Amino acid sequence: MNKRTFIKLCSAMIAEPVLSPLLSWAAKERLKNWAGNVEYGTERLYSAGSVEQVQEFVKKQSKFKVLGTRHCFNHIADSTDNLLSLKSMDEVVALDPKTRTVTVGAGMSYGQLCPHLESKGFALHNLASLPHISVAGSCSTATHGSGEKNGNLATAVSALEMVTMRGDVITLSREKDGEAFLGAVVGLGALGVITKVALDIQPTFLMRQYVYQNLPLSQLKEHFDAIEASAYSVSLFTDWQDQRLNEVWIKSRMEDGRKFDATPEFFGAKLATKNLHPIAELSAENCTEQMGVPGPWYERLPHFRMGFTPSVGKELQSEYFVPREHAIEAILAIERLRAQVVPHLMISEIRAVAADNFWMSPCYQRPSITIHFTWKPDWPAVSKLLPVIERELAPFKARPHWGKLFTTSPMQLRSIYEKLPEFLQLSNKFDPKGRLRNEFLNMNIFGG
Ligand SMILES: Cc1cc2nc3c(=O)[nH]c(=O)nc-3n(C[C@H](O)[C@H](O)[C@H](O)COP(=O)(O)OP(=O)(O)OC[C@H]3O[C@@H](n4cnc5c(N)ncnc54)[C@H](O)[C@@H]3O)c2cc1C
């Protein structure tokens, strides 16, 4: 099922009674993820439009998974039993200027939320490369943007409302729930049905985006810290060829003391003379405005514009989080694999993310750099390459992105997520019968 059919279907579902399966009449194709590489294991897709409907659903269905906007590249959101969409719960529930908090329904996407916040004079601290993704689904997998001082998107969460598998509605907050909150925010969809998310907000701000081309790898090795510290958000794109980074995307805030001085040259790279796509050969029409044109935060922080296809479309993605102190060693380890990587790659992106305290976050207690791969859609080839990459990154205890493709073994995952035992206890408390567990979670988290 393509994106448009899913959106149409979800709009149609709103009018339907919550507990009737909705796909049998609507779809000739099977329901797939955004990239089309995952065909979900069931056609039984349901919609809930309120907390009460979620509770009713939880009472009636013994096993299911909640679907966000389906942007994960692996089977984390998959079910062979039932899928539940909260897409129609996409409203701003409250905006409190005093506590600087916005509370949203779990079906809301960043693309819907950001213009609303802007109209009230507020902003979020950061966004991913695309605004199309749901707030609840993104935070559940520790989705991140860039900027060495910026935590991933989940670090903005101050409270979650969740329906547990006992059917209770509970709220977990940063203020009151200490460790349980830290375990639940990056919850991998394994703890309950998130129905509302409260997020920290701040006064709106303007940004400028500049792109530089061809930064020599030698400069990166020498000046990595200065490059990362040069602006609020820095993204390095490379195809690992010719000992250079193809593009450097610099997103700077315009307040005093934070401005980026856009000199014609940046560590040997040259200021671009037109808007660019991260893959320079592709049209920049889908990308956010560059060339230093001032604009609101939500139209500069993502690389891709709402209403346009993000990234490439027909692609696979993988990403690994490495402790910041091993940044250069890890980058060079991948560079040495270039002969194997290049034939299957569209583009790589290197970003910095601040540490956080969420048990299952790849940035748990460690400032990180992320090495991302947008692959050509050839899983047989990519699946052979990932273990090679993972072997090279293993000495740095690289943690894979929960929403992207990896082959890291469950044993290795256990050794790099020191809070996994506590996470298992927490999920046993909220979902004692494992009703939210699927094959992906059973294999990677719950030990078969
Ligand atoms: C083109 C593209 C670009 C991307 N760029 C980035 C990027 O810049 N940075 C980055 O870190 N990632 C990026 N990603 C990955 C993406 O952000 C994550 O995979 C994210 O989880 C997607 O959110 P979703 O709502 O689509 O998740 P889904 O795939 O729908 O679900 C993800 C998980 O969340 C759970 N879930 C969703 N809603 C709920 C709920 N209400 N209650 C309980 N559990 C729930 C699901 O069960 C599942 O476990 C990108 C993906 C694509 C396709």
Side-chain angles (χ1 to χ4, degrees):
M1 178 185 300
N2 65 27
K3 189 168 136 199
R4 199 162 294 154
T5 318
F6 179 73
I7 292 166
K8 235 167 55 194
L9 179 64
C10 277
S11 333
M13 288 190 308
I14 297 163
E16 295 288 326
V18 67
L19 294 182
S20 63
L22 294 152
L23 269 177
S24 48
W25 56 270
K28 290 201 181 73
E29 294 168 67
R30 298 290 296 256
L31 181 62
K32 290 184 181 164
N33 67 341
W34 173 86
N37 67 308
V38 170
E39 188 173 277
Y40 295 119
T42 178
E43 296 192 351
R44 294 169 60 85
L45 171 65
Y46 295 84
S47 166
S50 67
V51 176
E52 294 71 30
Q53 289 186 341
V54 172
Q55 286 180 289
E56 195 190 333
F57 181 84
V58 166
K59 255 191 244 155
K60 295 202 171 149
Q61 298 300 336
S62 57
K63 273 193 96 79
F64 67 97
K65 287 304 296 174
V66 189
L67 261 193
T69 37
R70 302 176 298 127
H71 280 76
C72 285
F73 289 85
N74 57 32
H75 286 268
I76 192 169
D78 197 4
S79 172
T80 48
D81 300 281
N82 302 286
L83 292 164
L84 177 65
S85 168
L86 306 191
K87 196 177 184 309
S88 54
M89 294 173 69
D90 63 351
E91 277 168 12
V92 173
V93 180
L95 194 157
D96 186 341
K98 273 207 204 105
T99 57
R100 291 208 174 156
T101 307
V102 66
T103 304
V104 301
M108 180 160 250
S109 70
Y110 286 98
Q112 291 170 293
L113 172 60
C114 294
H116 178 85
L117 282 181
E118 174 68 10
S119 73
K120 305 286 177 198
F122 289 99
L124 297 169
H125 80 292
N126 210 0
L127 291 168
S129 70
L130 75 175
H132 310 60
I133 47 184
S134 80
V135 174
S138 302
C139 294
S140 296
T141 61
T143 291
H144 64 95
S146 189
E148 61 177 9
K149 299 211 170 111
N150 301 323
N152 64 40
L153 304 190
T155 58
V157 175
S158 62
L160 288 178
E161 179 188 89
M162 205 163 71
V163 176
T164 70
M165 289 310 100
R166 297 177 196 280
D168 312 324
V169 182
I170 60 162
T171 301
L172 292 171
S173 76
R174 186 195 288 147
E175 209 181 326
K176 296 196 186 123
D177 295 289
E179 289 292 296
F181 174 77
L182 297 176
V185 176
V186 178
L188 312 180
L191 301 184
V193 182
I194 299 164
T195 41
K196 290 192 192 91
V197 185
L199 299 171
D200 295 337
I201 50 175
Q202 55 182 273
T204 181
F205 53 91
L206 286 171
M207 298 190 81
R208 289 182 199 269
Q209 179 164 237
Y210 295 96
V211 174
Y212 285 84
Q213 289 182 283
N214 299 320
L215 186 126
L217 187 61
S218 55
Q219 291 283 327
L220 189 77
K221 275 195 250 174
E222 198 74 1
H223 303 290
F224 185 76
D225 287 341
I227 290 168
E228 287 299 339
S230 63
Y232 189 70
S233 163
V234 177
S235 283
L236 304 160
F237 288 96
T238 181
D239 59 10
W240 304 103
Q241 296 185 55
D242 306 325
Q243 298 270 309
R244 52 101 173 86
L245 288 298
N246 307 46
E247 294 178 18
V248 182
W249 286 41
I250 292 187
K251 299 166 192 276
S252 90
R253 291 176 67 139
M254 288 180 62
E255 298 103 302
D256 286 345
R258 292 190 185 234
K259 281 184 202 146
F260 171 78
D261 184 16
T263 48
E265 210 174 298
F266 177 78
F267 296 99
K270 300 273 182 308
L271 191 58
T273 52
K274 58 176 188 175
N275 281 359
L276 288 173
H277 190 281
I279 302 171
E281 301 75 46
L282 298 185
S283 158
E285 197 201 359
N286 300 7
C287 299
T288 46
E289 190 67 43
Q290 303 155 30
M291 304 287 294
V293 179
W297 55 281
Y298 72 100
E299 290 180 354
R300 296 295 178 275
L301 285 170
H303 305 327
F304 301 103
R305 292 157 72 190
M306 194 66 189
F308 290 79
T309 301
S311 196
V312 180
K314 281 201 162 67
E315 65 191 64
L316 302 175
Q317 294 189 10
S318 304
E319 190 168 30
Y320 299 93
F321 295 65
V322 176
R324 168 71 187 249
E325 69 264 28
H326 298 305
I328 291 298
E329 287 166 276
I331 291 167
L332 294 181
I334 303 300
E335 208 269 334
R336 283 193 295 274
L337 295 177
R338 65 187 177 280
Q340 285 159 274
V341 167
V342 166
H344 306 291
L345 186 78
M346 296 212 229
I347 199 74
S348 270
E349 182 178 8
I350 299 165
R351 291 179 272 186
V353 189
D356 62 58
N357 285 315
F358 299 127
W359 297 352
M360 297 309 289
S361 164
C363 296
Y364 176 71
Q365 298 199 337
R366 62 186 211 196
S368 304
I369 68 133
T370 62
I371 307 181
H372 160 93
F373 304 85
T374 301
W375 302 112
K376 294 174 189 167
D378 178 358
W379 178 236
V382 172
S383 64
K384 285 198 195 86
L385 196 48
L386 294 184
V388 180
I389 291 174
E390 287 160 7
R391 213 166 24 247
E392 288 303 309
L393 296 181
F396 314 119
K397 295 190 177 341
R399 295 171 177 155
H401 192 304
W402 290 117
K404 302 187 182 180
L405 294 160
F406 62 87
T407 58
T408 312
S409 73
M411 210 167 74
Q412 174 75 356
L413 289 174
R414 272 196 288 284
S415 77
I416 51 184
Y417 280 95
E418 49 263 49
K419 284 287 197 178
L420 195 65
E422 285 87 342
F423 185 73
L424 298 187
Q425 276 173 17
L426 193 66
S427 64
N428 281 333
K429 184 174 154 202
F430 292 138
D431 180 18
K433 294 193 176 137
R435 293 165 59 194
L436 284 168
R437 292 176 203 170
N438 57 11
E439 208 183 312
F440 177 96
L441 291 174
N442 280 333
M443 185 174 104
N444 291 300
I445 306 290
F446 295 98

